[in-house]
Amino acid sequence: MTFHIEENDQNMSSTLPEISTSNTEPNKPLSNDTAQKVPINTKPKNLANTDNNGNNNNKNNPEQLRRLVMVTGDKGGVGKSTFARGLAQTYINNAVKFVGLDADNSNPHLIRFYEKHANIQRLDISNSDKLDEFVDNLKELVYPKPKESGENQESQSLILLETPSQFMPTLKILITEMGFLGVVNDKCKMRVTIVVVISTIIDCINQLLELYSFCGDNVDYVIVKNLFYGEAEQFTFYDNSQEIKKIQQQLKAKDRSFTSITMPKLAKKSYDYLDVKNLTFKQGLEQDEYPSVFGRIFSWLNNFQGQIKPIKDLFGIDKILTE
């Protein structure tokens, strides 16, 4: 597996209407015996100097914004693909160069909607050999070897990875067998943000707690409340969880981020229109067939970017341009 590197289509940012930024709100797991033999909590080195809100304090660090952003959500249909698409569109709108890796082979939304508009690659992580290949190619993206002609290839500093459903056992294997998070940080000099999209059900919280049990303070966390499943105040299992509050305090003490945002609900007609026609969010703005679709998508992107802006560094964004 080799990731093909090509230039992003940055022209998409030039015609987007002005967007305000008001903040509206299987791998089989290893057995316990095996896991105990492997150092799980490999502490990353060379961490970018960021505060607890994800803001960079050391602006002279050339690696300050290098990020691997992993969009997860182990419950199928929770909305992680929609969030990944919204983030990809935000990168494009703000002229942020990135490489997208779509590992959701059963429902590859990044490939389907954005392959022609950005550097999006299909990723196979179905077995141990493919997992190793992924890690090696990740380093090759960050530190590419010169071409046979001697010409240098461009280094990539931002990777957006959309993971498949039920990815947690695979991630646990990566961490327990090779200390994945430490390897990414030490060998790629890349900080990791894990985005966890949740609904209002208790299973999402249980899975989040399980994720933290083996990722610990080695990553920054962004929890996304998908408002398709209810209003923000209806996420009571998350808001009232004492375990979550304890984790937030632990990470604050370690200068790690654990923050929550919301993802707005997109009206069914507009969502289905994009889905049937395989349109990006920007193409939904450009169509003239349905003014209602334009209005809904414009408002959705406004809201989405408003959520991203206060923690933009956690997503590898230096500056929001569409203000």
Side-chain angles (χ1 to χ4, degrees):
M1 174 184 64
T2 301
F3 303 141
H4 175 64
I5 304 302
E6 57 191 45
E7 293 297 322
N8 286 343
D9 179 1
Q10 301 296 358
N11 294 327
M12 297 183 66
S13 62
S14 61
T15 58
L16 182 71
E18 181 179 352
I19 295 179
S20 68
T21 55
S22 58
N23 188 358
T24 58
E25 226 223 344
N27 298 309
K28 182 179 180 182
L30 296 180
S31 67
N32 291 333
D33 291 338
T34 303
Q36 290 174 359
K37 298 177 183 178
V38 184
I40 297 178
N41 191 24
T42 303
K43 188 68 176 178
K45 303 175 183 178
N46 301 311
L47 292 179
N49 187 15
T50 60
D51 64 23
N52 200 51
N53 293 319
N55 298 313
N56 285 295
N57 296 322
N58 184 4
K59 293 299 182 181
N60 295 319
N61 181 1
E63 297 169 345
Q64 62 188 341
L65 285 175
R66 190 174 285 167
R67 284 274 171 177
L68 169 63
V69 180
M70 302 171 59
V71 181
T72 69
D74 257 32
K75 293 294 292 183
V78 77
K80 64 177 179 56
S81 293
T82 303
F83 185 88
R85 287 162 55 196
L87 188 54
Q89 188 67 67
T90 300
Y91 287 150
I92 293 169
N93 293 348
N94 289 281
V96 178
K97 181 165 288 190
F98 73 105
V99 174
L101 303 178
D102 194 336
D104 192 352
N105 294 321
S106 64
N107 192 20
H109 273 214
L110 279 182
I111 289 287
R112 180 154 71 97
F113 291 92
Y114 282 92
E115 186 177 30
K116 296 179 180 178
H117 307 279
N119 185 7
I120 310 295
Q121 306 297 322
R122 193 178 300 273
L123 178 64
D124 182 359
I125 48 175
S126 58
N127 57 55
S128 295
D129 288 341
K130 295 295 184 182
L131 288 172
D132 288 356
E133 196 173 342
F134 157 59
V135 175
D136 291 340
N137 278 296
L138 190 62
K139 182 176 182 293
E140 181 69 16
L141 286 174
V142 178
Y143 298 110
K145 298 175 182 178
K147 297 179 181 179
E148 292 183 1
S149 63
E151 179 184 358
N152 289 330
Q153 299 190 69
E154 185 175 9
S155 173
Q156 304 296 324
S157 61
L158 178 59
I159 312 298
L160 170 61
L161 169 60
E162 182 185 349
T163 69
S165 299
Q166 307 301 319
F167 178 70
M168 196 175 343
T170 301
L171 180 58
K172 187 173 184 178
I173 288 173
L174 273 172
I175 292 173
T176 56
E177 289 187 352
M178 71 165 65
F180 171 69
L181 298 174
V183 168
V184 169
N185 186 264
D186 189 44
K187 299 301 181 183
C188 300
K189 303 296 185 292
M190 179 172 281
R191 194 162 172 132
V192 179
T193 297
I194 291 186
V195 178
V196 185
V197 184
I198 64 171
S199 69
T200 57
I201 65 174
I202 189 65
D203 278 357
C204 288
I205 309 308
N206 293 333
Q207 290 171 350
L208 175 56
L209 296 174
E210 172 67 13
L211 180 72
Y212 178 77
S213 73
F214 55 83
C215 290
D217 61 1
N218 297 303
V219 303
D220 295 304
Y221 299 84
V222 177
I223 314 305
V224 179
K225 300 175 181 178
N226 187 353
L227 299 186
F228 174 82
Y229 293 101
E231 299 301 320
E233 61 270 16
Q234 293 179 276
F235 286 75
T236 53
F237 287 125
Y238 176 85
D239 294 333
N240 298 332
S241 170
Q242 293 304 309
E243 292 92 341
I244 295 295
K245 289 180 172 61
K246 183 178 179 181
I247 288 172
Q248 289 172 329
Q249 292 301 315
Q250 290 172 343
L251 291 174
K252 183 178 181 180
K254 297 290 186 178
D255 292 324
R256 281 292 188 178
S257 293
F258 189 100
T259 187
S260 65
I261 61 176
T262 61
M263 180 168 68
K265 176 182 177 180
L266 183 59
K268 185 177 187 302
K269 176 181 178 180
S270 298
Y271 187 92
D272 289 348
Y273 183 83
L274 298 179
D275 192 38
V276 170
K277 294 183 175 291
N278 294 325
L279 300 180
T280 67
F281 288 111
K282 179 178 181 292
Q283 289 174 320
L285 294 177
E286 294 173 335
Q287 59 80 35
D288 293 324
E289 188 174 5
Y290 295 113
S292 64
V293 171
F294 169 87
R296 292 286 189 178
I297 294 174
F298 182 70
S299 177
W300 191 92
L301 286 173
N302 258 340
N303 193 311
F304 186 92
Q305 185 169 281
Q307 295 291 310
I308 295 296
K309 184 182 178 181
I311 53 172
K312 62 185 184 302
D313 288 357
L314 294 179
F315 297 103
I317 300 175
D318 185 25
K319 183 178 181 181
I320 297 291
L321 302 177
T322 50
E323 297 186 292

